[in-house]
Amino acid sequence: EDPVRVRQQVVDGRNYIYLQNRVPVAVEVRLALKGGGGVLDLVGGAKASLAGGGALTVSLDPYELKSFRSEGESPLVTGGETRLPAEFLRKLETDLGSAAKLHDDLVKSKIPVGDYTPYLRYAQDCWKERRYARLYFLLQESWSANLARMSAAKNPPRHK
């Protein structure tokens, strides 16, 4: 589900599989499939090659959507895993750490942080639960920028 949304539905005796990359970096997803039969790429029409054990490996560009159709009601997607670039994960971790530090410094300085604490806790939960797409977008929201503005106002530049 995160960072690649996967949906499937059997319609007219064929299983349709959709994959959507929800992050701004290319990812690779490996889907575990159960049942016999092949899978066709709906755009190119080519039969997708399945790895040992019937796994389907797909590369997705940022925000890309790919769709497939089985030859019959199976195979069905039973699970999967996504590989993200290490630098993207490091940046998420750094940005989350920066937001946490800004928040904690403001709290220590007795500056009210309003309703931003629940957002920070939710972002930390997203990191722990490996919900990287949700975390990426959460860190783009106004609460994070507002913490930075509040911190800058607390420490105005000094003039000589």
Side-chain angles (χ1 to χ4, degrees):
E1 184 68 31
D2 191 330
V4 174
R5 178 170 284 143
V6 178
R7 296 288 185 262
Q8 66 181 338
Q9 179 71 45
V10 176
V11 176
D12 296 330
R14 294 181 176 174
N15 188 31
Y16 290 82
I17 303 166
Y18 302 92
L19 295 90
Q20 178 197 14
N21 181 0
R22 299 174 58 221
V23 292
V25 294
V27 299
E28 184 176 278
V29 62
R30 182 179 169 96
L31 297 178
L33 303 176
K34 180 179 179 183
V39 177
L40 300 175
D41 180 328
L42 282 178
V43 173
K47 188 170 183 175
S49 59
L50 302 179
L56 173 65
T57 300
V58 179
S59 296
L60 295 167
D61 286 332
Y63 305 113
E64 185 177 17
L65 170 73
K66 285 194 177 177
S67 51
F68 298 88
R69 184 191 74 216
S70 66
E71 295 169 340
E73 289 189 9
S74 62
L76 297 172
V77 176
T78 59
E81 63 181 43
T82 303
R83 288 186 10 176
L84 288 145
E87 60 272 8
F88 177 74
L89 293 175
R90 277 192 298 275
K91 174 123 175 53
L92 275 181
E93 186 175 30
T94 298
D95 290 351
L96 177 58
S98 296
K101 181 169 180 2
L102 289 171
H103 174 273
D104 293 348
D105 288 349
L106 290 167
V107 169
K108 286 177 189 168
S109 298
K110 304 213 184 299
I111 296 174
V113 292
D115 296 330
Y116 302 137
T117 301
Y119 289 97
L120 175 61
R121 299 296 172 247
Y122 181 48
Q124 290 168 328
D125 288 345
C126 287
W127 176 258
K128 289 177 199 164
E129 296 164 8
R130 301 172 54 133
R131 292 184 290 150
Y132 301 126
R134 182 64 194 111
L135 175 59
Y136 172 78
F137 288 107
L138 190 61
L139 289 170
Q140 307 308 308
E141 293 176 6
S142 63
W143 70 273
S144 181
N146 287 342
L147 287 175
R149 277 193 288 280
M150 290 168 66
S151 182
K154 178 187 95 166
N155 298 308
R158 300 189 190 277
H159 299 283
K160 292 183 181 183

